Amino acid sequence: TPPRFSGPVIKQIQYQAEKAFSVLNMRDFGRLDGWILKDGTIWFSDINAISGMEQNSFFFQQSAILGINHSQLLDYLMTKKIDKKNRPSNVNKKREEIPVIFGGDTAERQVSIMSGTNVCIKLKSSSKYKPAPVFLGSNGKMHRIPQFLCLQHTAEEIEEKIKLFKNHVFLKNLRDFQREILKKLDIDEKNLEEPLFEPRQISFKIIASKYKFLFLGLHGGDGENGTFQTLLDGLRLPYNGPGAYSSRLCMDKFLTGEKIKKACIPGVFTAKKMLFSLRENPQNIWETIQKNHFPPMLIIKPRSDGCSAGVITVKNFGEFKKTLYFLNSNKPYIPARAIHPLHGYISLPDKKLDEILVEELIKTDEI
């Protein structure tokens, strides 16, 4: 979604799918998965009487590309019509648009997609606010995007489809395709909640001139380290989360620990930690750790970046040395069980690391 086959192939898939739907005496909806074989034969391998209903399932993606949102689709399944008279009362009210930015170029961009799109979908049911999704690409460019693109599973899929939508011929063909299906479903285009549009490039300056607030759904990097917060403060645009100073401090795990120690708040502690350059000899680092009486189980993590990239536990020098090899490499991730049998796939920060943080593992109660 959208289909990448030629027009005649798409027509044939539609015809065969409708035929299978009728032959199997299905009604209301279904999802048919299949293959196009080398000789052009269409082969349906999997007939789903109930499609997946997660918020970004293909079922909802396919309705969104027609301009139909989640609630309209479910309403249509029950009433077989989409009518302005049946809309929830909050839809007819003038609601304030809230831009929600997500994506980015950090190792946590996929988490950001989940955060940002969750916020967009929740705002849709608000009687006061309406989401305006903004995607930050890996190239640093921001685009105001239609609801359909919020339902993609990864940042890479959104980037790929932004390029597709900027192709005027592609968008025209898609609109023709859309009108044809809406006619079959007896749905008037004027009643649709989510019109498709070409993604438009936007900037923080434009956002500040058009909107009263920006929801930051970014994880890691400039979205969390005070860079964007400083920029938004300069533009006098309010945003969620901490300000520039706190963001900069809390992104640095070492300085955060030092600040907590110096605060001497009764009952508030921070794990014992030391900072090391990745250029140092692993054997020397390990000896220093031992001299400072760290417990056997350690956590190794980047000094900054988000909280889930490049974090691993180790319990001996062999595991520590292997970890440093990966952190010093240009590899995008540590494969599952590459350090020890108990860890899964670990994504690494996109930017080359200079330092690592070695921290004691705080043992919690056994469940």
Side-chain angles (χ1 to χ4, degrees), residues 24 27 33 83 127 133 137 182 194:
L24 294 167
R27 58 192 170 85
D33 299 344
D83 193 331
S127 58
L182 291 173
E194 302 294 347

Side-chain angles (χ1 to χ4, degrees), residues 5 8-10 12-13 16 35-43:
F5 299 108
V9 173
I10 293 169
Q12 189 61 15
I13 295 169
Q16 297 281 15
W35 303 83
I36 296 179
L37 305 183
K38 284 180 181 175
D39 65 358
T41 303
I42 293 163
W43 185 61

Side-chain angles (χ1 to χ4, degrees), residues 132-294:
V134 175
F135 175 73
L136 175 63
S138 57
N139 57 4
K141 290 180 181 173
M142 294 189 284
H143 285 88
R144 170 79 171 85
I145 59 172
Q147 162 73 5
F148 165 69
L149 290 181
C150 292
L151 302 185
Q152 308 307 300
H153 294 85
T154 65
E156 289 73 22
E157 282 178 288
I158 296 175
E159 294 210 55
E160 177 204 359
K161 284 173 185 173
I162 284 174
K163 286 177 189 166
L164 272 179
F165 274 47
K166 282 181 173 287
N167 179 333
H168 298 298
V169 176
F170 176 83
L171 207 52
K172 182 195 174 297
N173 290 342
L174 189 58
R175 288 211 171 97
D176 293 343
F177 179 68
Q178 180 190 34
R179 286 189 196 103
E180 189 184 318
I181 295 175
L182 291 173
K183 192 176 175 183
K184 276 187 180 182
L185 297 173
D186 195 26
I187 295 171
D188 189 333
E189 265 188 271
K190 294 196 292 288
N191 291 330
L192 299 177
E193 286 292 324
E194 302 294 347
L196 277 184
F197 57 84
E198 183 183 321
R200 299 187 290 270
Q201 204 168 325
I202 197 167
S203 65
F204 283 126
K205 198 171 180 181
I206 294 169
I207 291 170
S209 69
K210 285 182 68 176
Y211 304 103
K212 296 178 186 172
F213 185 88
L214 171 65
F215 190 98
L216 286 169
L218 298 164
H219 284 246
D222 291 345
E224 269 193 284
N225 65 13
T227 303
F228 287 165
Q229 287 82 357
T230 301
L231 204 149
L232 295 170
D233 288 342
L235 292 168
R236 297 187 179 179
L237 179 65
Y239 51 89
N240 57 303
Y245 172 76
S246 295
S247 297
R248 203 159 30 246
L249 172 67
C250 293
M251 192 65 158
D252 188 317
K253 301 178 182 84
F254 182 73
L255 286 183
T256 303
E258 292 296 293
K259 194 85 172 171
I260 291 168
K261 270 199 296 190
K262 283 177 187 169
C264 298
I265 303 165
V268 177
F269 307 97
T270 179
K272 182 177 178 179
K273 51 178 72 65
M274 285 186 80
L275 204 55
F276 293 98
S277 166
L278 272 171
R279 288 188 291 275
E280 283 187 58
N281 182 293
Q283 184 69 51
N284 294 345
I285 298 175
W286 187 254
E287 285 171 11
T288 306
I289 292 167
Q290 302 310 304
K291 281 176 193 167
N292 281 274
H293 308 294
F294 274 79

